[in-house]
């Protein structure tokens, strides 16, 4: 029998409320709503693939849910892996209470299913989510994006390179919402932004050269037209030759030679999704008979920072310890001013 | 079964099928992924680009005097030849013994066969045992292919081995992906200069590659037989096998005739020497982690100079009646002689394993082992028809320790063992201290040895009668040379302003070279020709011995100023005062004459500057200045008075229907204030060149 660990429940994060509620409920012995007391909440997890990151997400998601709900709130999981299958229909039987697609393929697949089961997408990017659910219809959908919000990336850049001012960004196009977010984030961190449009008549190398020559730091954003693995190599190498640091978007790009990155691991995404969904379950228990209310799609709450110390040293940049940068970023994001802005 | 609807003709079906094809193609074309990235791309591994072994040492913290000539400077410079770029390094002297023999040295003391400098191209040593030189005409790379040149001023044998004695020049070529597409370049101008380059860089899967064809010809100095007619081909491919493995493959070849310097119409007439070279190089890099990695590299260099000519008959050479010749030369009849000078074939094969690791943030360790085989085959130089070889084994290690952010200590050593001088150790200890942000002091003490090459140690260069009897011993070595040794001390200061607008490096140095390998004349070496010569300084062969020492003291600095992104100024100056003694005459083991005024072989002052600005509209201009005070190059060098030289370059970039083009005008010595390079015949007057290039 699972027991609820009070040490885990009282962790000093702003997400303790549902857990505290759970504890109080179980301590008081207050029976949950009769209608739900013994009816398990059924979650269908759809994995795009059976490989590492998807499994890692699923494991973290399931562990967090099971660890925090316990027997008082029974939750049942069903897992469907779609890798290699030509077409995957929903499993037979009554529809689940919630579908959790993990990854782009799963998101696209589930979008094609009929029915009105709410869908909580994870391990996808905001752009994928927005393109798949440009028209969600009547279905209730939400997501935890994989990439970081711009203001967090700028905040990270400011903490790592407090003296630099001119930041170059390469983009294949300039969508309005992205430009607006970027202007706000750069203004908040007192950076001067140079957005270089990638493509057109200019060769990739020329765009890279231009952005490197005109800026003190490059913020590499996830844009597949700009940074294919091969092109990422060019940018890293050319910037390194010119001693211009690159702030990346993933652990891999830091390993490859960027100065640093703030990113979320699949396990962190799984954990956040679990916590959000527990909140949803508690909510529906309080309001039996009503529809599930999903939170707004949102960026990751949990993140890690990575610094390539060898590159930092080679570029002659003194960077604080990762822990201090992460703390600094958390403090910054919890500041009133920052929260008011974002 | 489906059937085509009645009434649609066969032709109609073909058109319909074509339409469907077009639609399919359109759909396929429209299926290009959007700019958004998926989780797979976000979480994917990337090729490790900046690995431990590729880490640049920040020059401000490096425990050595480092000058970097980057691509921007190369493009702004007025150089058409690679050695000319090195005029921008403080303390460096560059000269042309003739139009196709460049000699590069640091703090003087060299002849046309400059042999105390290590030159590496992407880690491949291009020092050749033939005359112990770097043959700058046969590097098999082009200026266009160079990304940057890092020059370590001062001995660096602990890292790069024997020959990294006075300085080390690291030429780093561009990665193939940096120049995607086709580049065509043509240059023409003074002294019948014709340069052409065709280059293509592409990608095939995980392979990035570049292939270059080039031609280089010019007529050297006016009135000197020193023309060049060279054709080159080169290839570089980098294959990213996995995220942490890459293989670099380089191949190149150059061939063509070079005008051979006619020292005397009778014994060394104007002629051509045929030259050819090729090389193959491969390096496998494996990143063990982001902070440690190994590489295994192997290369093979081949260089051949072919120089054969006939002199005589002897009666003409000595201006006597043919009947007198048998009386002078022990019954030898009057005859013509088969002769050669620039003749030989050399190879260098090398394999090296290196491991770089950073066990903790404050430590960085590099160690490695290597093996090298040099062979030299030259009947003229060695006096034997078989090839000589030398096998060298090396073990090296370097530890960098940064106890605090401000302090760096670097210690290292190279142990080399070869058959000429047995085991030798080159140690180094250096420390730097950042006294304030951007201001670093350093102190460096280095010991270096330079092993004599096969040529230096085994030379037996003689003129023979047709029956093989020796007429004259020209050069010989005593076969038991010791290595040259050097101890160098320097104190340096490097300052970089916040934002890097000003970067300056100063150094005070003292260099002590002992056991200098020199070739005094020894009249006791028995040869027939000595019997007909009367002037004692002309008698005897040149015998290579360890004979002399040189101490050089001085100060030098470089300043780089970047007031705006499109403008930079680089200025460098060196003051070097040499003293010492070199044996000029010897009889057996006893020195008879010395050169005391060794200071004349080092210019007291040398300076250079490069100013460049890019204007609006694709126009850019640069101005270069070079000054060298009077000096005399050793060997066949004549006293060269001090000279100033001003160069200019103006270029304009313009768009082409695809890609871009550039037209440049380069004028060297635009004031036409003629000066001498190396010897009196080499008069350098104004030279102008037009360069056209297109990249698409």
């Amino acid at each position: 029998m699972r027991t609820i660990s009070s040490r885990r429940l009282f962790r000093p994060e702003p997400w303790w409320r549902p857990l505290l509620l759970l504890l109080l409920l179980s301590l008081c012995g207050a029976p949950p709503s009769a209608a739900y007391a013994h009816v398990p909440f059924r979650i269908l997890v759809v994995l795009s693939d059976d490989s590492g990151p998807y499994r890692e997400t699923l494991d973290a998601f399931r562990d967090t849910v099971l660890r925090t709900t316990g027997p008082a709130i029974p939750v049942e999981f069903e897992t469907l892996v779609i890798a290699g299958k030509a077409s995957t229909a929903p499993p037979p039987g009554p529809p689940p209470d919630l579908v959790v697609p993990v990854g782009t393929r799963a998101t696209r697949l589930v979008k094609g299913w009929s029915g009105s089961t709410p869908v909580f997408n994870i391990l996808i990017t905001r752009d994928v989510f927005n393109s798949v659910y440009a028209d969600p219809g009547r279905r209730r959908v939400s997501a935890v994006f994989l990439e970081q919000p711009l203001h967090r990336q700028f905040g990270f850049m400011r903490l790592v390179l407090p003296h630099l001012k001119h930041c170059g960004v390469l983009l294949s196009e300039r969508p309005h919402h992205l430009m607006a977010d970027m202007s706000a984030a750069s203004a908040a961190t007192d950076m001067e932004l140079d957005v270089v449009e990638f493509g057109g008549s200019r060769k990739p190398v020329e765009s890279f050269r231009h952005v490197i020559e005109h800026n003190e730091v490059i913020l590499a954003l996830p844009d597949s037209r700009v940074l294919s693995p091969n092109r990422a190599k060019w940018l890293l190498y050319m910037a390194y030759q010119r001693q211009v640091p690159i702030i990346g978007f993933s652990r891999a790009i830091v390993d490859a030679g960027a100065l640093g990155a703030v990113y979320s691991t699949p396990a962190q995404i799984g954990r956040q999704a679990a916590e959000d969904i527990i909140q949803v379950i508690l909510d529906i228990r309080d309001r039996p008979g009503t529809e599930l209310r999903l939170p707004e799609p949102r960026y990751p709450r949990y993140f890690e920072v990575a610094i390539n110390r060898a590159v930092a040293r080679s570029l002659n940049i003194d960077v604080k310890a990762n822990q201090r940068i992460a703390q600094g970023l958390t403090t910054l994001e919890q500041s009133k001013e920052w929260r008011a802005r974002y | 079964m489906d059937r085509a609807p009645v009434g649609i003709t066969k032709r109609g079906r073909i058109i319909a099928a074509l339409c469907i094809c077009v639609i399919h193609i359109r759909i396929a074309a429209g299926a290009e992924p959007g700019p958004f990235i998926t989780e797979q791309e976000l979480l994917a591994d990337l090729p490790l680009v900046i690995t431990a072994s590729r880490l640049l040492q920040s020059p401000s913290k490096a425990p050595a005097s480092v000058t970097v000539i980057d691509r921007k400077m190369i493009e702004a410079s007025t150089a058409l030849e690679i050695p000319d770029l090195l005029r921008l390094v403080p303390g460096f002297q560059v000269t042309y013994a003739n139009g196709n023999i460049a000699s590069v040295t640091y703090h003087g003391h060299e002849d046309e066969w400059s042999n105390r400098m290590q030159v590496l191209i992407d880690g491949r040593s291009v020092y050749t045992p033939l005359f112990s030189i770097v043959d700058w005409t046969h590097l098999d790379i082009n200026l266009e292919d160079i990304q940057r040149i890092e020059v370590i001023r001062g001995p660096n044998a602990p890292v790069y081995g024997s020959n990294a004695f006075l300085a080390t020049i690291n030429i780093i070529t561009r990665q193939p992906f940096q120049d995607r597409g086709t580049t065509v370049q043509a240059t023409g101008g003074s002294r019948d200069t014709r340069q052409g380059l065709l280059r293509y860089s592409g990608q095939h899967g995980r392979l990035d590659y570049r292939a270059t064809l080039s031609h280089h010809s010019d007529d050297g100095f006016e009135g000197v037989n020193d023309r060049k007619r060279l054709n080159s081909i080169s290839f570089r491919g980098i294959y990213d096998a996995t995220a942490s493995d890459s293989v670099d493959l380089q191949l190149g070849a150059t061939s063509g005739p070079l005008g051979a310097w006619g020292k005397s119409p009778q014994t060394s007439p104007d002629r051509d020497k045929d030259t050819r070279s090729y090389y193959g190089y491969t390096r496998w890099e494996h990143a063990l982690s982001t902070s440690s990695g190994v590489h295994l590299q192997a290369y093979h260099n081949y260089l051949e100079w072919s120089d054969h000519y006939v002199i005589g008959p002897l009666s003409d050479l000595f201006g006597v009646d043919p009947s007198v010749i048998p009386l002078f030369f022990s019954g030898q009849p009057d005859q013509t002689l088969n002769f050669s000078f620039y003749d030989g074939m050399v190879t260098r094969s090398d394999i090296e394993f290196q491991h770089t690791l950073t066990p903790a943030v404050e430590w960085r360790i590099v160690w490695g082992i290597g093996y090298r085989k040099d062979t030299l085959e030259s009947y003229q130089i060695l006096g034997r028809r078989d090839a000589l070889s030398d096998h060298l084994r090396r073990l090296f290690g370097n530890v960098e320790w940064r106890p605090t952010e401000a302090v760096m200590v670097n210690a290292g050593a190279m142990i080399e063992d070869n058959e000429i001088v047995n085991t030798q150790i080159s140690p180094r200890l250096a420390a730097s201290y950042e006294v304030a942000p951007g201001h670093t002091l350093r102190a460096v003490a280095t010991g270096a040895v330079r092993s004599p090459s096969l040529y230096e140690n085994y030379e037996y260069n003689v003129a023979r009668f047709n029956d093989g009897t020796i007429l004259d011993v020209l050069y010989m070595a005593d076969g038991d040379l010791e290595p040259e040794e050097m101890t160098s001390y320097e104190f340096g200061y490097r300052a970089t302003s916040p934002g890097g607008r000003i970067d300056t490096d100063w150094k005070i140095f003292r260099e002590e070279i002992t056991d200098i390998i020199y070739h005094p004349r020894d009249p006791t070496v028995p040869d027939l020709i000595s019997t007909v010569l009367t002037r004692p300084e002309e008698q005897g062969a040149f015998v290579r011995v360890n004979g002399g020492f040189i101490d050089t003291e001085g100060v030098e600095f470089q300043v780089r100023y970047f007031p705006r992104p499109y403008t930079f100024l680089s200025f460098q100056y060196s003051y070097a005062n040499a003293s010492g003694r070199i044996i000029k005459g010897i009889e057996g083991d006893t020195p008879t004459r010395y050169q005391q005024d060794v200071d004349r072989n080092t210019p007291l002052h040398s300076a250079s500057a490069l100013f460049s600005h890019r204007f609006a509209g694709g126009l850019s201009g640069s101005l270069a200045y070079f000054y060298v005070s009077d000096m005399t190059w050793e060997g066949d060098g004549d006293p060269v008075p001090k000279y100033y030289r001003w160069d200019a370059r103006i270029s304009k970039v313009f768009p082409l229907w695809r890609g871009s083009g550039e037209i440049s005008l380069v004028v060297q010595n635009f004031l036409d204030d003629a000066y001498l390079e190396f010897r009196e015949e080499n008069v350098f007057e104004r030279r102008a060149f037009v360069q056209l290039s297109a990249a698409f």
Side-chain angles (χ1 to χ4, degrees):
Chain A
M1 181 178 162
R2 289 176 186 276
T3 53
I4 295 162
S5 155
S6 59
R7 186 176 59 81
R8 282 186 179 280
L9 289 178
F10 286 105
R11 58 176 180 273
E13 285 156 7
W15 317 104
W16 48 266
R17 287 193 199 103
L19 312 172
L20 180 62
L21 181 65
L22 259 176
L23 182 69
L24 288 172
L25 283 170
S26 58
L27 285 178
C28 299
S33 160
Y36 279 85
H38 302 293
V39 181
F41 188 87
R42 293 176 52 245
I43 299 175
L44 171 64
V45 182
V46 184
L47 296 186
S48 295
D49 194 346
D50 207 13
S51 61
Y54 303 100
R55 278 279 160 201
E56 202 183 326
T57 312
L58 171 66
D59 291 348
F61 174 69
R62 197 162 45 188
D63 287 356
T64 310
V65 171
L66 293 177
R67 210 170 45 224
T68 48
T69 52
I73 306 170
V75 177
E76 274 183 16
F77 288 95
E78 190 174 353
T79 306
L80 180 67
V81 181
I82 61 172
K85 294 179 187 167
S87 67
T88 309
D97 296 305
L98 181 70
V99 181
V100 180
V102 184
T104 304
R105 276 187 79 182
T107 298
R108 292 208 164 109
L109 177 83
V110 172
K111 170 73 166 62
W113 288 351
S114 56
S116 59
T117 309
V119 182
F120 195 99
N121 302 277
I122 56 176
L123 211 68
I124 54 163
T125 59
R126 175 174 142 158
D127 284 333
V128 167
F129 177 78
N130 287 341
S131 77
V132 172
Y133 284 105
D135 173 23
R138 291 181 53 214
R139 179 172 276 174
R140 282 150 294 152
V141 291
S142 185
V144 176
F145 306 136
L146 178 57
E147 75 270 43
Q148 305 300 309
L150 274 172
H151 59 81
R152 181 175 294 155
Q153 303 210 52
F154 275 84
F156 173 73
M157 187 156 54
R158 182 41 84 219
L159 283 166
V160 172
L161 300 160
H163 304 297
L164 300 190
K165 210 166 167 57
H166 299 275
C167 170
V169 177
L170 280 159
L171 288 175
S172 60
E173 53 186 49
R174 298 165 177 253
H176 181 72
H177 69 91
L178 184 64
M179 296 309 295
D181 288 355
M182 201 138 42
S183 299
S186 60
T189 47
D190 195 25
M191 302 286 289
E192 281 182 20
L193 200 58
D194 175 18
V195 179
V196 176
E197 206 152 339
F198 186 85
S201 59
R202 217 183 229 173
K203 280 188 196 170
V205 169
E206 285 167 11
S207 299
F208 289 157
R209 189 175 297 138
H210 178 88
V211 77
I212 290 165
E213 283 180 0
H214 291 76
N215 292 286
E216 296 167 303
V217 54
I218 312 295
L219 176 64
L221 291 178
D223 182 330
S224 64
R225 284 190 192 142
V226 179
L227 288 180
S228 63
N230 195 46
R231 284 184 188 151
K233 183 176 77 176
W234 305 1
L235 179 67
L236 287 166
Y237 187 83
M238 292 169 73
Y240 187 65
Q241 289 290 337
R242 293 295 293 249
Q243 302 271 287
V244 174
I246 289 186
I247 298 299
F249 50 79
S250 70
R251 172 84 224 182
I253 201 167
V254 175
D255 288 345
L259 173 66
V262 53
Y263 64 97
S264 298
T265 62
Q268 287 172 323
I269 299 292
R271 176 185 166 196
Q272 178 175 341
E275 290 170 358
D276 287 356
I277 288 167
I278 291 164
Q279 181 74 47
V280 169
I281 299 171
L282 291 175
D283 182 60
I284 195 70
R285 286 167 56 100
D286 289 346
R287 299 180 297 99
T290 60
E291 286 191 330
L292 278 185
R293 287 198 303 208
L294 295 185
E296 286 295 304
R298 57 181 75 169
Y299 284 107
R301 203 152 52 224
Y302 304 110
F303 55 82
E304 288 187 8
V305 301
I307 299 289
N308 190 326
R309 298 280 155 189
V311 168
R313 184 185 247 195
S314 196
L315 299 182
N316 208 12
I317 297 170
D318 295 331
V319 184
K320 295 186 193 88
N322 292 21
Q323 186 69 20
R324 286 187 60 196
I325 298 169
Q327 281 169 356
L329 209 45
T330 308
T331 311
L332 184 71
E333 292 190 3
Q334 286 173 353
S335 68
K336 275 187 191 162
E337 194 186 353
W338 197 269
R339 281 195 299 190
R341 208 187 283 262
Y342 303 105
Chain B
M1 188 179 165
D2 287 346
R3 296 186 62 177
V6 179
I8 296 182
T9 62
K10 188 181 174 190
R11 195 177 174 191
R13 288 200 297 269
I14 292 170
I15 292 169
L18 281 173
C19 287
I20 291 166
C21 280
V22 169
I23 291 164
H24 270 287
I25 290 165
R26 285 216 161 161
I27 289 169
E32 185 191 342
F36 48 83
I37 208 158
T38 66
E39 78 282 0
Q40 287 174 334
E41 290 162 298
L42 210 57
L43 297 169
D45 280 342
L46 287 169
L48 301 189
V49 180
I50 315 302
T51 55
S53 55
R54 283 195 202 164
L55 277 175
L56 299 173
Q57 179 72 268
S58 166
S60 65
K61 296 260 170 78
S65 307
V66 182
T67 298
V68 176
I69 297 171
D70 60 12
R71 186 69 213 160
K72 202 167 160 182
M73 282 182 81
I74 294 171
E75 284 170 2
S77 81
T78 54
L80 263 70
E81 312 259 0
I82 295 168
D84 283 328
L85 289 172
L86 299 165
R87 294 179 194 268
L88 296 168
V89 180
F92 265 60
Q93 289 83 47
V94 176
T95 195
Y96 288 87
N98 69 39
N100 57 47
I101 297 180
S103 187
V104 177
T105 184
Y106 182 54
H107 299 153
H109 298 300
E110 285 292 2
D111 54 20
E112 61 267 49
W113 312 122
S114 169
N115 59 5
R116 297 188 179 97
M117 193 91 75
Q118 179 64 284
V119 181
L120 301 162
I121 300 175
D122 296 323
R124 174 176 67 94
S125 165
V126 290
Y127 181 87
T128 162
L130 179 63
F131 292 108
S132 301
I133 55 161
V134 172
D135 185 349
W136 292 94
T137 58
H138 280 263
L139 297 185
D140 305 332
I141 58 162
N142 294 281
L143 260 183
E144 287 303 301
D145 295 335
I146 299 176
Q147 174 63 25
R148 55 197 262 130
I149 301 177
E150 292 175 3
V151 181
I152 295 142
R153 295 176 284 128
N156 207 17
V159 179
Y160 295 112
S162 169
N163 287 112
F165 196 68
L166 294 177
T168 305
I169 298 166
N170 265 319
I171 299 174
I172 295 143
T173 65
R174 290 169 74 73
Q175 298 260 330
F177 62 74
Q178 289 179 275
D179 306 283
R180 203 48 106 225
T182 306
T183 305
V184 186
Q185 191 180 70
T187 309
S190 302
R191 303 302 307 141
D192 212 15
T193 297
R194 301 275 182 273
Q195 290 183 9
L197 177 130
L198 174 64
R199 179 175 70 194
Y200 179 75
S201 295
Q203 183 196 349
H204 184 79
R206 292 177 173 178
L207 174 75
D208 290 298
Y209 63 92
R210 169 179 71 218
T212 311
L213 281 173
S214 66
H215 168 79
H216 190 148
S217 68
D218 64 55
D219 284 348
F221 292 103
E222 177 92 48
V224 178
N225 180 51
D226 55 356
R227 70 194 187 110
K228 270 195 221 85
R229 300 285 184 271
L230 295 172
N231 294 307
S232 295
I233 182 167
S234 66
F235 172 86
R236 182 174 189 193
I238 296 181
Y239 179 70
D240 289 316
T242 70
S244 49
D245 293 272
S246 71
V247 179
D248 189 349
L249 175 69
Q250 301 186 25
L251 303 165
T254 301
S255 76
L258 296 175
W261 177 11
K263 291 182 181 182
S264 122
Q266 290 172 318
T267 58
S268 177
D270 285 352
R271 62 199 184 273
D272 276 350
K273 66 178 178 196
D274 280 318
T275 62
R276 74 174 66 100
S277 64
Y278 65 80
Y279 76 92
Y281 161 98
T282 185
R283 180 200 286 237
W284 167 60
E285 276 192 27
H286 175 67
L288 297 165
S289 69
T290 53
S291 56
S292 71
V294 293
H295 82 228
L296 183 66
Q297 75 169 34
Y299 62 83
H300 179 77
N301 296 340
Y302 173 92
L303 174 68
E304 184 182 345
W305 286 0
S306 178
D307 177 29
H308 300 283
Y309 57 96
V310 175
I311 60 171
L314 287 168
S315 52
D316 281 0
L317 290 179
F318 293 102
V320 295
D321 188 83
S323 61
V324 180
I325 294 298
L327 301 176
F328 270 131
F329 297 115
S330 314
Q332 290 282 349
D334 190 22
Q335 59 191 280
T336 56
L337 303 177
N338 292 317
F339 214 75
S340 69
F341 189 79
Y342 304 102
D343 193 70
M345 185 274 286
V346 285
T347 64
R348 168 165 282 196
S349 310
D350 192 288
I351 184 162
E352 179 184 272
F353 169 83
Q354 182 178 298
H355 181 198
T356 308
L357 60 159
T358 46
V361 174
E362 62 271 21
W363 290 91
R364 188 171 162 211
I365 298 170
V366 181
W367 71 272
I369 52 172
Y371 166 79
R372 189 170 74 205
K373 182 185 176 189
D374 286 346
T375 66
L376 170 60
E377 185 183 320
S378 170
Y379 182 56
Q380 181 62 44
I381 293 173
L382 299 177
R384 50 195 290 171
R385 296 204 181 271
D386 59 333
L388 281 179
S389 60
D390 181 44
H391 304 262
L392 181 142
R393 290 155 288 273
R394 62 183 182 276
L395 170 68
F396 57 94
N398 203 67
V399 178
E400 186 184 287
W401 178 45
R402 245 169 120 172
T404 72
E405 277 301 317
V407 176
M408 184 189 283
V409 179
N410 187 302
M414 166 83 70
I415 303 169
E416 290 176 300
D417 177 70
N418 70 2
E419 282 136 20
I420 298 176
V421 292
N422 299 324
T423 307
Q424 301 291 331
I425 299 179
S426 304
R428 177 168 71 169
L429 182 64
S432 67
Y433 176 55
E434 193 172 21
V435 286
H439 300 264
T440 307
L441 295 175
R442 65 176 180 272
V444 185
T446 312
V449 294
R450 187 184 76 83
S451 171
S453 67
L454 285 168
Y455 153 74
E456 288 174 294
N457 203 51
Y458 299 113
E459 187 177 23
Y460 190 62
N461 193 338
V462 298
R464 293 173 195 268
F465 292 106
N466 292 329
D467 66 0
T469 312
I470 292 170
L471 163 68
D472 185 19
V473 180
L474 303 168
Y475 292 89
M476 63 177 288
D478 70 1
D480 193 21
L481 289 174
E482 294 294 321
E484 293 183 342
E485 292 191 14
M486 179 174 191
T487 311
S488 160
Y489 306 95
E490 70 172 72
F491 289 98
Y493 165 66
R494 188 158 196 130
T496 309
S497 69
R501 284 198 172 174
I502 300 176
D503 179 69
T504 179
D505 186 81
W506 295 69
K507 110 172 188 183
I508 303 172
F509 62 89
R510 177 177 170 82
E511 293 162 352
E512 299 169 354
I513 307 176
T514 55
D515 287 336
I516 282 208
I517 297 171
Y518 197 72
H519 43 77
R521 275 191 189 272
D522 185 349
T524 65
V525 174
D527 61 312
L528 292 176
I529 208 161
S530 292
T531 58
V532 298
L533 295 171
T534 50
R535 290 165 58 189
E537 63 270 24
E538 288 183 353
Q539 287 186 353
F542 291 105
V543 180
R544 197 167 276 108
V545 295
N546 292 99
F549 69 92
I550 297 168
D551 297 336
T552 311
E553 293 173 339
V555 59
E556 63 196 29
F557 68 87
Q558 65 185 34
V559 180
R560 300 269 168 88
Y561 177 46
F562 306 87
R564 280 187 291 278
Y566 292 120
T567 308
F568 76 84
L569 171 70
S570 165
F571 179 77
Q572 32 282 322
Y573 167 81
S574 173
Y575 169 86
N577 191 4
S579 59
R581 198 168 67 160
I582 290 173
I583 298 171
K584 286 283 175 174
I586 195 167
E587 288 188 14
D589 288 337
T590 314
T592 53
R593 285 184 296 126
Y594 292 97
Q595 178 196 344
Q596 302 280 6
D597 57 343
V598 297
D599 58 323
R600 73 192 176 106
N601 300 126
T602 300
L604 198 59
H605 306 278
S606 57
S608 62
L610 177 66
F611 172 76
S612 169
H613 180 69
R614 210 189 303 171
F615 301 92
L619 192 68
S620 56
S622 44
L623 205 56
Y625 165 78
F626 309 100
Y627 169 73
V628 182
S629 63
D630 57 301
M631 71 173 290
T632 304
W633 288 80
E634 289 175 4
D636 288 317
D638 292 324
V640 176
K642 69 178 178 185
Y643 71 82
Y644 305 88
R645 171 175 145 184
W646 286 91
D647 292 0
R649 176 190 192 104
I650 186 156
S651 57
K652 166 104 173 96
V653 178
F654 51 88
L656 291 175
W657 63 278
R658 251 179 84 191
S660 64
E662 184 173 11
I663 182 165
S664 309
L665 172 68
V666 176
V667 186
Q668 297 175 337
N669 196 9
F670 62 78
L671 297 178
D672 204 17
D673 192 359
Y675 73 93
L676 302 182
E677 288 281 9
F678 193 77
R679 61 188 190 125
E680 286 174 356
E681 291 84 348
N682 300 348
V683 181
F684 198 101
E685 295 168 316
R686 179 165 55 215
R687 293 182 182 184
F689 309 93
V690 174
Q691 193 165 65
L692 268 169
S693 63
F696 48 87

